[in-house]
Amino acid sequence: QVQLVESGGGSVQAGGSLTLSCAASSILSSSVMAWFRQTPGKEREFVALIRRRGNSVLYAESVKGRFTISQDNAANTVSLRMNSLKAEDTAVYYCARGSHYATNQLEYDYWGQGTQVTVAS
């Protein structure tokens, strides 16, 4: 059983920055790690992903240029640096592990418990 534990959420003013971290109990070399977010009443939304092998990344258009996903393979951690935060970035952010380079949440089989990010306008 793979365990994912997110940290780093909190409250920040619009324009500020936060860094989320996800510690994984194991990440296969073929894995894809991703961040999703969800607000009440809405479906979980893709934010960013990174391929374990090769470091290929992909971002949602809404965060491109503001968010940066990175990984520390030795530590089995994945981070999401969020700059220029907006009120609409407020959500619960989830870390996920999958096997395919995909933005669909159904492609991810392990999930963290989520961490709240609140951006005050």
Side-chain angles (χ1 to χ4, degrees):
Q1 183 74 11
V2 175
Q3 291 185 327
L4 304 176
V5 179
E6 301 100 335
S7 61
S11 298
V12 65
Q13 293 291 319
S17 299
L18 280 175
T19 298
L20 306 182
S21 294
C22 173
S25 58
S26 71
I27 304 178
L28 302 176
S29 61
S30 58
S31 294
V32 174
M33 299 298 295
W35 288 94
F36 287 77
R37 65 188 182 186
Q38 189 171 25
T39 54
K42 292 189 176 181
E43 288 202 3
R44 202 166 290 185
E45 172 190 33
F46 168 76
V47 175
L49 66 79
I50 186 166
R51 195 193 299 270
R52 172 80 164 183
R53 184 184 297 154
N55 282 326
S56 297
V57 298
L58 182 68
Y59 297 97
E61 284 297 321
S62 59
V63 307
K64 196 174 292 185
R66 301 187 297 121
F67 291 11
T68 302
I69 189 171
S70 61
Q71 62 186 349
D72 182 336
N73 290 351
N76 277 353
T77 59
V78 177
S79 297
L80 184 69
R81 174 66 176 178
M82 305 184 294
N83 294 328
S84 302
L85 283 162
K86 306 174 181 179
E88 51 263 43
D89 294 318
T90 295
V92 177
Y93 284 71
Y94 296 90
C95 174
R97 195 199 84 169
S99 303
H100 302 288
Y101 196 79
T103 61
N104 188 329
Q105 61 172 319
L106 297 178
E107 297 287 346
Y108 292 83
D109 46 8
Y110 293 101
W111 294 82
Q113 81 288 352
T115 185
Q116 176 71 46
V117 171
T118 302
V119 184
S121 57

